[in-house]
Each structure stands twice: as C-alpha cells, then as structure tokens.
Amino acid sequence: MVKFTVVLSFLLLANADAFVPSTLKNRQVCRFSESSKSALDALTERQMQFWEDVGDGLNDVETVFSEDGLNIERIRAFALSAQGKTSAPTRYAPGHKPSEEHVEGLTAKPFWNSRDEPDKFPWAEKLENNSHIVIQELQEKLDREAQEQSLFASDSAWQNNVMGKGWSAFRLQRLGVWNVENCKEFPKTTELLRSLNIPFAVRGVCFACQASGSGVQPHSDGRNFILTSHLGLKIPDGCWMKSGDEEQTWQEGKLTTLDTSFEHSTGNPTDDDRHVLIIDYWHPDLTIAERAALEFVYDLRNKFESGNIPFRKPRALMQEKEGQGLAGIFGSLFGGGDKK
C-alpha cells in the first residue's frame, strides 16, 4: 500500500483529490514515468516541511488540552503510521481494511446503531425526528429539476472508478467548508444540520443518488477514525448495503451507520433511484483533543495541496548545513549545495 508521504507527493504534484481510495492511489502513483521521478524527488523537502509543521501544530494542540489532562499520543502514533515509520495497522475483524491513516484503539464494527447508543450519537434522534424536512426539500428539488436532471453530478473521475457511474452526489459540505451556493438549494436541511452540533469530519455532507440497476463495488475508505451515517430519503424495496460480512438495508427517515474502513458495497437492483443524505463525522471514541489534532492535520494538508503554504527549507536540512559552515548555510538558502 502506498505510504501517506508518497501519496502526499503525488497530490502536491498533480493536485489530485485528497481522499482517493488506496487501490486507486497505487494505480495513479504507478503511472509516473522515469521523467517524473525527478519531480517527486524535488518534493521531498516539501514533505519534510509538511511533517515538521504537523509536529509543531500537534505540540500546540497538546499544550491547549494538557490543562484538562488530555493527551494526543494516539494522534502522534497516527502521524508515524501515516509516514510509514511504524508497522501497518492490523485488521480488527473480518472485512476490516484500515489504511496507514489509522488511530489505534477505536471500536471497530461494520455497522453501528445510533438508537442503541444515544450517548455516542446525541444528535441522531433529533435528525431522525426531523427527517421529513430533508425528505420534503429533496423531493421538491427533484420535482423542479425533473426535466433538466441536473441536481446530481459525479463527484470526480476517480469517484466514477470506485463508486460506479450509477452513483452521483450533491455536496453541501466538504473538507470542513460549507458550499454556500449548494446550501442555498437546501436551506432548511442546512439549517437543521448546522443546529445539531454534529462533529463533522473532513469528508463532509452530501445527498447521494444510486441509479436504478446499479451498485457500488466493494472498497474500503481506509480511515478508521471517521464514521458515516446515511439518512434514508427515497429507498426502493430491495436496495442493500454490505459492510464487512454484514448486510443491511436503509429505512426512510432513519439512519444507517457504518465504519467505511471495512470493505463495503451497495446495490440497487430496482427500477427506481435510491436517495440518501450522507454525513461523515469523527469516531465517537476520539477525545475532543484528538479531534482537534486530526482537524489540524487535515486542514494543513488541504492548505499544502492547494498551495497556500509557502515553501521553506526544512529545519532538519538547515541543521545539517550548519555543520558545513557559512558556505553550507548560504547554499541551502540560495539553492546551492551538493549536486547529485
């Protein structure tokens, strides 16, 4: 499996989507030719800068929460795993396929029942009780756009490869940012979601449509520290979802919750489209300090990928140059130094 640092190199080079499943990451990285190798090598210092900045930020997060007796040791271990500096995580159960972006010690099961554990999902009951708002708003939107069929669009090219051409989405939130224009199309749903204090994670919120006669092939999203809930909106009889070795269906107005670090797949063998609202949020076993630390890491990665973080020479390399005197320091600052 491609390590996080290699994937980060590819993302910085090609501006690819940050949440590509590992199987696709492997294929994409393997496409690099020998002529591209020098570009990857040139990004090595950028990788070092990223992980140095991660370390600095985690120190700040820990300082803030240490007064409350909270630590982020599991997130420091996550950072080592993500860099490939520790052994790959082990599977917790049949069908579990975690990636290197992994937090140890979190409860792992294919499906969760929010109604059985209300303390872990304090927002879920209110969302279900008000699901008619979401269902009505979606139906009104579908009726208005019945001729154009323009509401749902495929998320990206790689998503077609994973989710299949029958799956499409309309995003309200992604990477912690609400899509203002899209939210205007669903004002009541947006207001409801934002009132519930859901601990939204990096992947966000979207309406998802599974076309009739289509399905999503088995795949794992890898990250075990995010759970996903589907609020059933329009569910034809016969639709199914499998996670790990368990299979369930959706119910309209109810949440179906799964851990997508398990291999999962869906099917819609009916003559009608299936619609759900997908919500990604932090695993309830994470502490508030651990959530803050993960939010920092992924926000920083998004900034690196979008080019919003200026390049600087990694401190580790600067320290190496210090041993070479003034000539080495000036070489590191102005692009000199040893040539390979």
Side-chain angles (χ1 to χ4, degrees):
M1 188 179 292
V2 179
K3 301 299 184 186
F4 184 92
T5 49
V6 177
V7 174
L8 180 61
S9 299
F10 171 72
L11 293 172
L12 289 168
L13 181 65
N15 195 29
D17 193 292
F19 305 105
V20 181
S22 58
T23 53
L24 291 181
K25 289 177 182 175
N26 281 322
R27 289 202 289 269
Q28 288 170 318
V29 172
C30 288
R31 290 189 188 127
F32 283 115
S33 64
E34 284 299 315
S35 62
S36 299
K37 184 176 183 297
S38 60
L40 285 174
D41 289 342
L43 289 172
T44 300
E45 293 185 9
R46 186 68 164 161
Q47 297 170 32
M48 294 174 65
Q49 178 191 350
F50 172 77
W51 286 111
E52 286 182 354
D53 289 354
V54 166
D56 293 343
L58 293 183
N59 289 339
D60 292 340
V61 170
E62 190 160 50
T63 297
V64 170
F65 288 97
S66 61
E67 296 179 359
D68 299 322
L70 300 174
N71 68 70
I72 56 169
E73 290 308 307
R74 292 197 297 189
I75 309 306
R76 293 190 184 280
F78 152 88
L80 293 175
S81 175
Q83 294 176 76
K85 292 184 176 180
T86 56
S87 300
T90 57
R91 301 181 181 186
Y92 291 175
H96 193 221
K97 295 186 175 182
S99 70
E100 285 89 351
E101 295 176 60
H102 178 81
V103 177
E104 284 291 341
L106 302 182
T107 303
K109 51 187 177 182
F111 287 102
W112 294 65
N113 191 325
S114 61
R115 291 171 290 280
D116 289 345
E117 301 181 89
D119 57 318
K120 294 183 180 295
F121 308 91
W123 48 270
E125 183 178 4
K126 186 175 180 180
L127 178 57
E128 289 185 342
N129 290 343
N130 289 277
S131 60
H132 61 280
I133 295 173
V134 187
I135 293 172
Q136 180 179 351
E137 202 163 41
L138 173 65
Q139 187 59 58
E140 291 172 352
K141 182 65 175 176
L142 291 174
D143 291 343
R144 290 196 302 271
E145 301 206 356
Q147 299 300 321
E148 300 178 7
Q149 296 182 337
S150 60
L151 176 61
F152 290 94
S154 179
D155 252 13
S156 63
W158 74 259
Q159 195 115 35
N160 268 343
N161 291 329
V162 180
M163 308 299 282
K165 294 184 179 180
W167 190 93
S168 54
F170 185 85
R171 290 202 173 270
L172 299 183
Q173 192 221 60
R174 186 176 180 83
L175 308 180
V177 178
W178 292 93
N179 185 314
V180 175
E181 293 303 314
N182 286 358
C183 288
K184 288 179 180 177
E185 301 291 334
F186 294 93
K188 295 178 181 178
T189 296
T190 301
E191 181 181 6
L192 173 62
L193 291 172
R194 299 185 75 164
S195 73
L196 296 177
N197 294 318
I198 301 171
F200 297 113
V202 290
R203 290 190 306 228
V205 180
C206 68
F207 288 95
C209 174
Q210 185 75 62
S212 62
S214 69
V216 175
Q217 294 301 307
H219 68 285
S220 168
D221 298 340
R223 300 183 182 95
N224 74 323
F225 46 88
I226 297 174
L227 295 186
T228 299
S229 284
H230 292 194
L231 180 66
L233 304 177
K234 292 171 63 69
I235 311 298
D237 186 33
C239 292
W240 56 267
M241 175 165 55
K242 185 175 182 180
S243 179
D245 57 2
E246 300 180 21
E247 185 174 305
Q248 294 189 12
T249 188
W250 298 265
Q251 297 180 55
E252 293 182 2
K254 300 297 182 183
L255 291 168
T256 301
T257 300
L258 68 155
D259 178 344
T260 59
S261 66
F262 283 82
E263 186 174 73
H264 53 286
S265 56
T266 67
N268 178 7
T270 76
D271 295 328
D272 299 304
D273 293 347
R274 182 227 68 193
H275 295 85
V276 297
L277 179 71
I278 298 179
I279 306 170
D280 290 321
Y281 48 92
W282 301 115
H283 194 294
D285 287 354
L286 294 170
T287 67
I288 187 173
E290 290 171 333
R291 291 181 190 175
L294 287 170
E295 286 174 351
F296 167 78
V297 171
Y298 283 95
D299 180 64
L300 181 66
R301 191 167 85 169
N302 294 335
K303 290 176 180 176
F304 264 77
E305 290 168 12
S306 59
N308 292 330
I309 303 295
F311 174 80
R312 65 163 175 79
K313 199 75 170 178
R315 291 190 298 270
L317 295 184
M318 294 293 288
Q319 291 168 359
E320 289 179 4
K321 292 293 184 180
E322 286 178 3
Q324 302 174 23
L326 288 175
I329 295 175
F330 277 107
S332 67
L333 290 173
F334 298 108
D338 297 335
K339 301 292 185 181
K340 293 182 178 180

